[in-house]
Amino acid sequence: MSADSSHGTDASVDAVEHALGAEHEHPTWSVYWKIATILTVITVIEVWCYYLPGFVSTAFFVPTLLALSAAKFVIVVMFYMHLKYDHKLFRVLFTGPLIIAMIAITALLFLFGKLAIRTGLLT
Amino acid sequence: MATTALPSIPTADVGHGYTTTGLPHRKVAIWAFIGSECMLFASLISTYLIYKGRSVKGPFPHEPWTDPSTGHVFKPILNIPVTSCSTFVLLMSSLAMVLALAAVENRDKPKVTLGDRILGSSRLWLFMTALLGTTFLGFQAFEFTSFVHEGLSIRTNLFGSSFFTLTGFHGAHVTAGVIWLLTMLAIDFKRGLGPKDALNVDIMALYWHFVDVVWIAIFTLVYLIR
Amino acid sequence: MATTAAPTFATHTEYAVGEGWRAWLGTTDHKKIGYLYFFTALFFLMFGGAEAEMIRWQLRAPNEHFLSAETYNQIFTMHGTTMIFLVVMPMSAAFFNLLIPLQIGARDVAFPRLNAFSYWVYLLGAIFISVPIFFGAAPNGGWFGYAPLTTMPYSPGLNIDFWALGLQILGISSLAAGFNFITTIINMRAPGMNLMRMPMFTWMAFVVQFLIVLAFPVITIAVVFLVFDRFFGTNFYEIAAGADPLLWQHLFWVFGHPEVYILVLPAFGLVSEVLPTFSRKPLFGYPVMVYSGILIGVLGFGVWAHHMFAVGMGPIADTVFGVTTMLIAIPTGVKIFNWIFTMWGGSIHFTTASMFAIGLVGMFTIGGISGIMHSSPPADLQQTDTYFIVAHFHYVLFGGSLMGLFAGIYYYFPKLTGHMLDERLGQWHFWLNLVGSNLAFFPMHFSGLLGMPRRIYTYDANQGWDGFNMMSTAGAIIVGVASAILAINILISRKRGAPAGNDPWGGGTLEWSIPSPPPVYNFVHIPRVTSRYPMWDLTSPQLTADVPHTRAGDKSVEVDVAGVDAGHAGPRPGGAPAGRSPAPVVAAARIPTAEELGIPIPYTTLKPFFTALGLTVMLSGLPFAHADMPGIEYTLIFAGACTLVGSLFWWVTSPLEPEVAHSEHTH
Amino acid sequence: MPFPSRPRRQVAAALAGAAVLAVPLLLAACDVKSYPNSTFLPHSEFGKAIDDLWNLLLQLGTLVFVFVEGLLVYTIIKYRRRPGAAPPRHVHGNTTLEILWTVIPAVILVFIAVPTVKTIFKTEARASADALQVEVYGHQWWWEFRYPQYGVTTANELYLPIGRKVNFALRTQDVLHSFWIPQLGGKRDLISNHTNYLWFTPDSTMSTSAWNGTCNEYCGASHANMRFRVFVVPPADFARWATHQASPAVFPVSTVAPPPPPAPAPAATPARRPAGRTASGAADAQPLVRPVANGALGAQAAADADAPTIVQGGSQAPDGDVFPRDSLRPNNIPTTPTPDGLTFTPGLVGDAGRGQKIYSISACIGCHTIKGNPSSVGITGPNLTHVGSRFTIAAGLYPNDTEHLRLWIKNAREMKDGVLMLTLGLNQIDPQTGIKVTAGGLTDQQIADIAAYLQALK
Ligand code: HEA
Ligand code: HEA
Ligand code: CUA
Ligand SMILES: [Cu+2]
């Protein structure tokens, strides 16, 4: 783009704008297929967990499922949404709100006693 | 880079690709939009989780329930096998979507083998994405009607209200995505999509993947965790 | 600087809209849209103000019955809703529109048609939510509409339907504008204008846009639940089904608290522009001002439950939210002190604009301190839902947001219209406002601590509240007079005020480098920016020598139009006091047109207007479901949806602006 | 420039004015006579804990206020533009200063936060088990108070013993309300599908006192009219009151009993009634309630299993009037004017016996309970068992005298906005529906009789 050459270039200009440099290589087709396989495998494991009564009743069940779905989430965002390869700005635009959203969910679950802290005080 | 002052840009040029970051406006906007959608779905998901287990009467997601007044026994509502399939379908639609984008971006690359030709067909992959999305919606329609038959509607209890609203909002997003995909597919058939359309497809893809990602969260939080 | 030979445009004449009011209806020019926002918000200020005056007249003495309970409840609900959603936010939006592109050196916003859409949605939404008051059917659930009072069993009328749908419509406007400005600020800054050189107003606007796009989805969902409950029989707030009314409260305040910073940060930004100009000194501690603004925004998402200390959340939640709330005092305090030290050592010029800015610093501090008093949960139990809270939020909203916006109005009116506001009327406005608002709102601290609940339409005699209420009413009348003066001043000066020239105040930022009102394309050349106050570098280089520049000696801001009138050394008092001849404003050379310069200008277009219209008509069909008029309901919904989809399609498929035909610019 | 030196004078004048205004106000805030609902006069340990915190907040707040405003005024006066002065130096910041004004507020906040957290955990601890339990139910727009330990249900008037911890369980029957007695401590909301708790110990420095309480959460049309009274009395008086309230309504026997001496003689009312209120002549003409024999009801009362104490009919009935009327302060006596068009035929004399019969077949029984009157078991409205012993009606809106009671029964919806109780007087127009009451409406005479009956329910 012709405009690129004319826009600010000195090093002191802030990081957000210039940390990226040129666009990175996008993943190739085979990577996409591999990722799809990984996603499928994780999903299978998740559903499998669900059908293990012995596991469901343990304290590990929920964290395991959360970790597995978080892994899927991250993989899709990083590769399919190519956040890993894209401008840092997008990472900020996405993760900032995502963090606020997760904190809000967690705080709300605490407030409604879904993640309880027992204190023996008035509630 | 040169340390001398660069010439100012005649305003006449700004409408034509110049941006401070070098990134297209629409792509910045779609990411901001996706950030905003995070809060939208966070509110919906929180509500579902907060109301989980608070309904004064059934049916319930994972436990059977006997209606004290009629003695009728309701099965647990959620149907994990069916939803696992639809989850898989939606995941695969994301794969189709990246392949469609790659095909559009690489439209001009020479295609030698049959494999190249298949992988390089944006029409095929756009169509596949839309098809898989529609299949997902079909599963959802099936799910919704069977729930209603089993005695759970959006008015039945807190679980019904929050469940249908959450998944309904997601379904509405998928529907919008399918319409978008079909429009794009129509353009592809009309004049062919090439690298200059990559941005438009990219933006659509980001939206589509985001909707997929939301489903990943919903599938675990709503269906699997009990 | 010479422009290259005018390129030729491939224009589509069929996309152009005519002259006169149709040009306004179809405008995509951010300045015109700012103008529309400005006058609409001003109108609603009078509207909300008239409601405030009625509230005060009712409360002037015990056991009055100027208004009935029902009317009073509608009026205070509409007063709060109007002031917040129809006055302060749109007035801020007026400044976003007018200023952001000018301050960052852009031709327009990133999505000019979306911008027009935002305005029309706001206007139609504002009409939608305001009109019912003339039929006695206005919203009556308070501005935060707590469930279950707002649910069907307790509010069977249409009142709450209007409120819920109205908020939904207004939310769409704010969200659309939010994405637009985020993109604009990220992507349309002039070369060299990195984030740490952005004018403070643009910075605060930037933070506000993030607050908007992150907070509004939450209220959207909360209201969707309410709408579903009311129209489709869901159970979100249905007590009998086991619903928890705190769900609404939490969702509302997750939105509501960031909202109050949405209301005040633009005013902070304006003050940060006004004070340096009139102190003839750059903003003190610019980086800290930026960080504190961001910090206020981020912390603002973690304090919402301080509105709920009386609901019995338990000691841990009370502690957490109490402490996070207190933390906000730190970044806000930093702002207050930095403003004071901007003036310290300066040469403060008292104009109406700077006096309002100083007024904000003084008044907001009072409101902030009472805010800290609420942030201690046990202490708040004596304060919450009393007039002490009413005092707090009027100090921050009136003394903060509104005072800041007034400062902005006096400062930027010349840029918006090309005419100065009258300083003498301005002085009257300021002093009456200062005296009146303190008289109105300070006694509320007392009536609150002496036991007066808020939202009461009447009170008993002998409770010790009479005197304070009398004072508040007197103060409100004075503020009313002050506001009338403002209105008169604006109406008169809009056409007849002294001509402003490019730079009547000696401002330092880019918007002062171009004519007032700015030409449709703003800048002939997008300037290259090397410091925070490029205009001062240009006009008084000797003063800015030790300003942090990236490249010493690089002063390449171009002032596009001949007859520049920029001066750092002295003001250009367009509205000079009587007895002095106005400083000569050098007649500007003829301003070249966009065509001559070859700058493509977005087409005027009615599509955004019709899209907004379709949206509003569609949603306004719903209340007819409760009025038992399904015919009208479905007709409106159908007609609205068709208009919406049709104009949206037409919009997306039509070009924004003429394409430039010459080859070197095609991509 | 327009105002070279005026700011100084005006700012100084404004500050002086504010000081002149604020100081006496602050002092006055501690005066219970002029400011009867002041939060500066806590009368419980809960209130005192808050007040200590408040004093700290007030002191630190004042400190910050004086410092910031002082600095601001000094700066704008000192650095105002003077003609011919050199342009100011361009200072961009000062790290030391900036750190200073980050740290100092942080320190101030620590001083606020620590006592705050302590007070939170102190005031939100569970109340001891032996506390007096009071269940508070919010209704649109009145209060129901139940004392489960005593079997008492009453409305809008709360009796509390001095020196005993009382634990409130707060619930609502409809929308949200908030329970607040400014002198006894902070408020707490009543939330649907929740029970909230609040406790305090009314302290014993005064022998008896009456406070006004309010609803503080907006709850619809008559939110402003949802008030209540709190009578803090010595424990013995409280016990007497509770015993009496728990007993079923006893209908005094006319032949034996002389008119009850300390009855809320309507004749006494005008003296306390502030000028300017609409007076309907009936009140003054009304003689004391004429007690009527009613053996059947007495028997019914004896059979009532709920009642912990069975009181035999007749004049032995304890006096419901526990709180000394002389202790009522002007702020305890409602001054609400009656609606303009609403009048009552003058000169009518009510008969309680007749009234009892009419009441028992009227709409009233669908909404009100009178323990001892088997037909009256409604739960929509306040419990009227001892309504005659109350000082106010309609959630503290009107004094409980003949005049207001009659008007209330005649057209409650004119008397109080949005109220749920129906308009019952013959030919009255219901302001909510606009419908005129015809068939089944009560004549003024009937209303006078019912009012007499209710007043007899001491
Ligand atoms: C412009 C809008 C605005 C702003 C900026 C604020 C700012 C603040 N607000 Fe306010 N608030 C409202 C608008 C606003 N508020 C509204 C509308 C309501 C009522 C809603 C309703 O119920 O209708 C409300 C209600 C409200 C409550 C709930 C009260 C209740 O209902 O019980 C609380 C409680 O903590 C609170 C706290 C604060 C605090 C701590 C700040 C802080 O941000 C203030 C920080 C500023 C300072 C402290 C001053 C400057 C600092 C210094 C000079 C440094 C030194 C100072 C100290 C160390 C103290 N506010
Ligand atoms: C930015 C916000 C803002 C602003 C500027 C104001 C301004 C004023 N407010 Fe308001 N107020 C709120 C936001 C605001 N308010 C909110 C959020 C609530 C809570 C609502 C709720 O509880 O739900 C509230 C509640 C509120 C109450 C409490 C009501 C109650 O609890 O019962 C009171 C009482 O005095 C009050 C008074 C005033 C007064 C006297 C002004 C004055 O400053 C107004 C000054 C007047 C004008 C600015 C206009 C001048 C008018 C004319 C010149 C008349 C000309 C008329 C025509 C041309 C038609 N306001
Ligand atoms: Cu009950 Cu307000
Ligand atoms: Cu807040």
Side-chain angles (χ1 to χ4, degrees):
Chain A
M1 268 190 281
S2 63
D4 269 350
S5 59
S6 61
H7 95 267
T9 42
D10 56 83
S12 77
V13 180
D14 60 275
V16 178
E17 286 169 40
H18 289 276
L20 71 149
E23 287 228 341
H24 292 266
E25 290 264 307
H26 273 225
T28 57
W29 290 330
S30 63
V31 175
Y32 290 143
W33 286 97
K34 276 183 206 137
I35 287 165
T37 319
I38 297 173
L39 290 173
T40 312
V41 169
I42 298 181
T43 308
V44 169
I45 297 177
E46 278 189 310
V47 178
W48 185 48
C49 286
Y50 179 87
Y51 283 107
L52 290 177
F55 185 57
V56 170
S57 53
T58 67
F60 298 109
F61 176 62
V62 174
T64 309
L65 280 188
L66 289 181
L68 289 173
S69 69
K72 284 202 288 183
F73 191 103
V74 171
I75 292 173
V76 173
V77 172
M78 280 306 190
F79 294 93
Y80 284 179
M81 292 168 91
H82 42 81
L83 203 55
K84 186 163 186 270
Y85 309 93
D86 227 331
H87 198 297
K88 276 218 179 89
L89 175 78
F90 298 142
R91 237 180 269 187
V92 178
L93 276 181
F94 181 64
T95 38
L98 187 68
I99 289 169
I100 291 182
M102 308 255 269
I103 292 177
I105 295 183
T106 318
L108 284 170
L109 291 183
F110 266 110
L111 284 162
F112 283 90
K114 296 283 161 176
L115 301 169
I117 300 180
R118 306 254 168 256
T119 54
L121 292 160
L122 276 187
T123 45
Chain B
M1 271 298 179
T3 47
T4 52
L6 291 159
S8 306
I9 304 164
T11 302
D13 286 0
V14 284
H16 300 273
Y18 168 77
T19 66
T20 318
T21 52
L23 303 164
H25 289 337
R26 272 176 296 162
K27 197 155 167 188
V28 174
I30 191 82
W31 275 107
F33 175 74
I34 287 173
S36 171
E37 292 270 282
C38 286
M39 289 302 279
L40 189 98
F41 281 104
S43 318
L44 286 162
I45 291 175
S46 313
T47 304
Y48 177 83
L49 294 176
I50 286 165
Y51 275 167
K52 198 171 160 187
R54 273 192 74 111
S55 303
V56 290
K57 60 177 181 129
F60 298 120
H62 300 287
E63 310 82 31
W65 177 68
T66 318
D67 186 338
S69 56
T70 61
H72 184 279
V73 181
F74 291 87
K75 288 186 295 183
I77 281 290
L78 296 181
N79 186 339
I80 303 301
V82 168
T83 316
S84 305
C85 294
S86 71
T87 303
F88 176 73
V89 165
L90 200 60
L91 276 179
M92 288 309 110
S93 81
S94 263
L95 173 64
M97 188 74 247
V98 278
L99 294 179
L101 175 61
V104 171
E105 277 169 349
N106 299 325
R107 161 78 78 224
D108 301 337
K109 288 229 179 92
K111 298 182 183 65
V112 201
T113 65
L114 178 67
D116 285 353
R117 291 242 285 290
I118 293 175
L119 282 176
S121 163
S122 59
R123 287 175 202 172
L124 172 66
W125 295 115
L126 282 176
F127 175 75
M128 281 307 288
T129 318
L131 183 71
L132 290 166
T134 314
T135 313
F136 175 84
L137 288 174
F139 270 113
Q140 195 167 38
F142 165 77
E143 187 188 31
F144 280 16
T145 42
S146 67
F147 288 1
V148 171
H149 283 304
E150 286 169 41
L152 181 81
S153 80
I154 195 167
R155 297 164 177 225
T156 309
N157 57 13
L158 291 176
F159 164 59
S161 296
S162 52
F163 172 82
F164 281 109
T165 308
L166 167 59
T167 50
F169 255 82
H170 180 265
H173 277 76
V174 177
T175 312
V178 169
I179 294 172
W180 195 348
L181 279 161
L182 292 177
T183 319
M184 208 57 93
L185 190 61
I187 297 174
D188 200 357
F189 275 109
K190 200 168 151 208
R191 63 164 172 77
L193 295 173
K196 70 176 181 341
D197 301 298
L199 176 63
N200 288 333
V201 180
D202 189 13
I203 286 166
M204 180 175 71
L206 288 175
Y207 172 83
W208 187 261
H209 296 308
F210 177 72
V211 173
D212 182 20
V213 152
V214 169
W215 186 256
I216 289 176
I218 292 177
F219 180 58
T220 305
L221 293 173
V222 174
Y223 289 86
L224 294 183
I225 290 183
R226 40 177 161 167
Chain C
M1 262 100 289
T3 19
T4 43
T8 48
F9 295 136
T11 53
H12 304 249
T13 37
E14 70 267 33
Y15 293 118
V17 180
E19 298 288 304
W21 62 270
R22 280 169 58 216
W24 281 101
L25 215 58
T27 185
T28 48
D29 178 357
H30 69 97
K31 299 171 289 294
K32 278 190 163 177
I33 292 170
Y35 199 85
L36 289 171
Y37 265 116
F38 181 80
F39 280 97
T40 317
L42 208 62
F43 170 81
F44 280 106
L45 174 65
M46 296 302 154
F47 198 81
E51 283 158 349
E53 303 295 341
M54 288 162 85
I55 292 176
R56 283 315 326 161
W57 192 244
Q58 167 77 2
L59 296 178
R60 69 191 186 278
N63 294 321
E64 281 299 335
H65 42 250
F66 167 63
L67 303 172
S68 73
E70 178 55 30
T71 316
Y72 182 89
N73 293 341
Q74 294 185 11
I75 295 230
F76 86 71
T77 302
M78 282 312 293
H79 164 67
T81 309
T82 304
M83 285 298 192
I84 286 178
F85 295 104
L86 311 184
V87 177
V88 175
M89 285 186 71
M91 189 62 93
S92 306
F95 284 108
F96 298 155
N97 268 290
L98 173 68
L99 288 180
I100 291 175
L102 299 186
Q103 289 200 324
I104 63 177
R107 185 202 59 171
D108 205 318
V109 295
F111 306 105
R113 291 181 295 189
L114 189 64
N115 201 21
F117 172 75
S118 295
Y119 170 75
W120 294 115
V121 174
Y122 153 60
L123 179 69
L124 296 169
I127 293 172
F128 179 84
I129 207 170
S130 301
V131 160
I133 198 151
F134 298 110
F135 302 96
N140 57 0
W143 87 275
F144 44 71
Y146 274 1
L149 182 61
T150 43
T151 59
M152 223 44 195
Y154 300 107
S155 295
L158 299 185
N159 315 47
I160 301 297
D161 295 344
F162 285 113
W163 183 76
L165 297 170
L167 281 198
Q168 212 71 293
I169 298 173
L170 293 168
I172 292 171
S173 160
S174 303
L175 280 168
F179 301 127
N180 204 346
F181 289 122
I182 286 180
T183 313
T184 306
I185 295 173
I186 289 180
N187 248 358
M188 298 182 75
R189 280 164 292 140
M193 175 158 301
N194 59 42
L195 290 178
M196 290 317 259
R197 284 185 198 145
M198 235 156 57
M200 192 49 68
F201 174 78
T202 300
W203 245 117
M204 292 302 112
F206 195 38
V207 175
V208 165
Q209 305 315 320
F210 280 101
L211 294 181
I212 287 177
V213 301
L214 298 185
F216 268 83
V218 184
I219 183 81
T220 303
I221 290 303
V223 174
V224 161
F225 292 162
L226 182 62
V227 169
F228 279 19
D229 271 10
R230 291 182 66 85
F231 290 97
F232 311 129
T234 53
N235 301 310
F236 291 103
Y237 309 120
E238 190 60 50
I239 300 309
D244 192 338
L246 296 186
L247 177 69
W248 168 271
Q249 297 195 11
H250 280 295
L251 291 181
F252 186 88
W253 291 117
V254 170
F255 150 80
H257 190 82
E259 168 72 13
V260 306
Y261 295 113
I262 294 173
L263 298 171
V264 86
L265 288 180
F268 283 3
L270 288 168
V271 167
S272 305
E273 300 294 330
V274 170
L275 287 180
T277 298
F278 293 102
S279 312
R280 310 268 151 227
K281 261 182 82 215
L283 190 64
F284 194 88
Y286 174 97
V288 187
M289 287 298 249
V290 170
Y291 300 139
S292 63
I294 298 175
L295 202 59
I296 290 174
V298 172
L299 283 177
F301 275 99
V303 303
W304 74 83
H306 66 211
H307 295 271
M308 301 168 59
F309 286 146
V311 305
M313 292 183 296
I316 294 179
D318 282 355
T319 302
V320 170
F321 284 101
V323 171
T324 48
T325 303
M326 289 172 197
L327 287 181
I328 295 197
I330 298 172
T332 319
V334 165
K335 283 195 172 292
I336 299 276
F337 291 118
N338 276 333
W339 284 324
I340 295 181
F341 273 75
T342 301
M343 293 185 278
W344 186 279
S347 164
I348 307 168
H349 178 42
F350 293 101
T351 63
T352 310
S354 65
M355 286 158 84
F356 268 114
I358 296 166
L360 176 142
V361 179
M363 297 273 285
F364 181 83
T365 302
I366 300 177
I369 293 171
S370 56
I372 294 303
M373 290 169 173
H374 314 322
S375 72
S376 171
D380 185 54
L381 293 182
Q382 285 289 33
Q383 301 164 9
T384 185
D385 279 321
T386 68
Y387 264 80
F388 192 77
I389 304 293
V390 180
H392 159 68
F393 68 69
H394 283 94
Y395 266 92
V396 285
L397 282 169
F398 191 97
S401 309
L402 215 51
M403 286 266 212
L405 291 169
F406 286 155
I409 290 176
Y410 283 90
Y411 188 55
Y412 282 114
F413 190 82
K415 188 50 62 187
L416 181 66
T417 61
H419 296 278
M420 306 295 289
L421 278 171
D422 187 80
E423 273 290 309
R424 229 169 28 139
L425 287 179
Q427 294 293 326
W428 277 102
H429 176 210
F430 172 77
W431 285 108
L432 287 178
N433 223 316
L434 190 72
V435 171
S437 60
N438 279 296
L439 186 59
F441 302 128
F442 205 79
M444 290 181 182
H445 291 111
F446 292 99
S447 44
L449 291 173
L450 296 176
M452 181 162 164
R454 63 191 278 205
R455 298 174 158 187
I456 55 174
Y457 77 99
T458 187
Y459 52 92
D460 223 339
N462 305 325
Q463 308 297 314
W465 306 331
D466 307 7
F468 299 109
N469 277 294
M470 187 77 86
M471 284 193 244
S472 291
T473 301
I477 293 171
I478 298 177
V479 180
V481 172
S483 313
I485 293 176
L486 170 73
I488 292 169
N489 196 352
I490 287 178
L491 292 181
I492 293 180
S493 307
R494 194 170 60 101
K495 290 267 162 60
R496 275 187 277 163
N502 285 8
D503 181 16
W505 313 114
T509 36
L510 287 180
E511 69 272 26
W512 303 111
S513 70
I514 55 173
S516 315
V520 60
Y521 49 82
N522 298 346
F523 298 86
V524 176
H525 285 73
I526 299 299
R528 177 162 178 80
V529 179
T530 58
S531 79
R532 283 175 203 145
Y533 295 100
M535 289 296 286
W536 290 353
D537 293 350
L538 200 73
T539 54
S540 6
Q542 71 287 0
L543 286 174
T544 62
D546 50 350
V547 175
H549 285 283
T550 329
R551 275 179 297 263
D554 177 349
K555 311 242 194 301
S556 59
V557 173
E558 286 130 38
V559 178
D560 299 323
V561 179
V564 203
D565 176 27
H568 182 205
R572 296 286 168 275
R580 282 193 180 207
S581 56
V585 176
V586 184
R590 198 185 66 81
I591 300 165
T593 64
E595 291 76 46
E596 288 166 357
L597 295 165
I599 300 174
I601 297 301
Y603 294 115
T604 49
T605 164
L606 296 177
K607 291 151 207 147
F609 171 75
F610 279 110
T611 313
L613 189 68
L615 180 79
T616 315
V617 169
M618 186 175 84
L619 288 178
S620 59
L622 277 175
F624 289 96
H626 288 157
D628 277 330
M629 291 189 251
I632 303 186
E633 181 198 354
Y634 292 122
T635 316
L636 285 180
I637 292 179
F638 184 73
C642 290
T643 318
L644 173 66
V645 173
S647 13
L648 196 61
F649 181 77
W650 187 28
W651 165 0
V652 191
T653 52
S654 60
L656 169 68
E657 59 194 19
E659 279 152 40
V660 182
H662 58 181
S663 56
E664 66 268 44
H665 287 294
T666 49
H667 296 269
Chain D
M1 293 303 96
F3 293 94
S5 64
R6 266 167 69 191
R8 175 197 271 165
R9 267 191 286 124
Q10 297 192 349
V11 167
L15 279 184
V20 168
L21 208 69
V23 172
L25 285 178
L26 261 178
L27 295 177
C30 301
D31 163 23
V32 72
K33 289 239 170 49
S34 326
Y35 302 111
N37 307 309
S38 169
T39 57
F40 298 100
L41 298 161
H43 282 282
S44 74
E45 81 284 39
F46 179 39
K48 292 212 170 71
I50 294 181
D51 197 49
D52 291 345
L53 207 52
W54 164 252
N55 284 335
L56 176 77
L57 285 165
L58 189 61
Q59 283 155 14
L60 292 175
T62 312
L63 191 83
V64 174
F65 172 78
V66 170
F67 178 73
V68 174
E69 305 291 343
L71 187 68
L72 178 66
V73 170
Y74 175 81
T75 311
I76 61 175
I77 293 173
K78 173 111 196 282
Y79 295 105
R80 67 186 188 280
R81 171 159 314 167
R82 295 186 183 80
R89 221 166 58 79
H90 276 205
V91 182
H92 283 271
N94 179 320
T95 315
T96 322
L97 274 178
E98 287 170 48
I99 289 175
L100 212 63
W101 61 57
T102 310
V103 171
I104 292 178
V107 171
I108 296 180
L109 291 175
V110 171
F111 279 100
I112 296 176
V114 172
T116 293
V117 176
K118 278 192 190 146
T119 315
I120 291 177
F121 280 84
K122 194 162 83 193
T123 54
E124 296 192 28
R126 242 183 255 276
S128 44
D130 60 342
L132 170 66
Q133 303 292 336
V134 178
E135 293 172 356
V136 177
Y137 288 87
H139 298 258
Q140 276 179 326
W141 291 273
W142 56 281
W143 299 90
E144 180 176 348
F145 301 117
R146 296 191 200 156
Y147 296 69
Q149 293 148 321
Y150 293 85
V152 170
T153 302
T154 179
N156 304 326
E157 297 194 356
L158 191 60
Y159 278 73
L160 301 175
I162 291 169
R164 179 163 173 202
K165 186 173 276 190
V166 27
N167 185 26
F168 295 92
L170 306 160
R171 302 186 184 99
T172 171
Q173 301 287 18
D174 38 53
V175 302
L176 311 186
H177 305 275
S178 189
F179 176 82
W180 190 36
I181 312 150
Q183 289 84 353
L184 294 179
K187 56 187 83 64
R188 188 80 78 203
D189 293 352
L190 286 64
I191 314 251
S192 333
N193 287 339
H194 280 253
T195 303
N196 267 337
Y197 296 95
L198 178 77
W199 54 257
F200 51 72
T201 315
D203 69 25
S204 51
T205 52
M206 293 187 150
S207 61
T208 45
S209 46
W211 311 112
N212 289 357
T214 50
C215 174
N216 271 66
E217 185 69 83
Y218 176 62
C219 51
S222 259
H223 160 65
N225 302 327
M226 187 166 163
R227 311 169 189 163
F228 60 103
R229 315 278 145 174
V230 187
F231 303 96
V232 179
V233 295
D237 286 357
F238 175 77
R240 196 158 62 88
W241 175 84
T243 316
H244 175 66
Q245 293 285 319
S247 67
V250 175
F251 211 46
V253 184
S254 68
T255 45
V256 193
T269 318
R272 273 180 286 163
R273 188 193 298 157
R277 206 174 82 231
T278 320
S280 82
D284 307 79
Q286 172 67 20
L288 294 177
V289 173
R290 190 149 54 87
V292 173
N294 194 318
L297 267 183
Q300 169 63 35
D304 194 324
D306 268 10
T309 330
I310 294 166
V311 183
Q312 294 303 331
S315 52
Q316 301 100 325
D319 181 6
D321 216 3
V322 167
F323 187 82
R325 280 177 181 257
D326 320 334
S327 307
L328 284 180
R329 286 186 254 112
N331 71 300
N332 298 132
I333 300 156
T335 62
T336 318
T338 52
D340 281 340
L342 187 60
T343 54
F344 201 82
T345 319
L348 291 183
V349 177
D351 179 297
R354 270 201 319 261
Q356 190 259 328
K357 295 204 183 78
I358 303 167
Y359 173 90
S360 306
I361 54 164
S362 294
C364 325
I365 54 176
C367 299
H368 292 285
T369 295
I370 294 180
K371 198 149 75 170
N373 183 340
S375 55
S376 182
V377 291
I379 50 163
T380 319
N383 185 308
L384 298 180
T385 308
H386 292 282
V387 66
S389 70
R390 294 183 203 149
F391 290 85
T392 62
I393 53 168
L397 203 56
Y398 296 103
N400 186 6
D401 57 23
T402 313
E403 173 207 355
H404 288 98
L405 200 52
R406 288 171 165 186
L407 291 179
W408 175 260
I409 300 169
K410 189 168 181 179
N411 198 339
R413 292 192 165 175
E414 278 293 353
M415 295 283 278
K416 183 166 172 178
D417 287 286
V419 76
L420 267 73
M421 175 158 154
L422 304 173
T423 293
L424 292 161
L426 186 63
N427 293 332
Q428 288 293 303
I429 294 173
D430 179 336
Q432 285 177 30
T433 59
I435 297 171
K436 192 167 184 173
V437 179
T438 49
L442 299 170
T443 63
D444 278 9
Q445 180 59 52
Q446 288 172 318
I447 291 172
D449 294 339
I450 294 179
Y453 166 59
L454 295 181
Q455 284 184 317
L457 300 174
K458 295 252 89 194

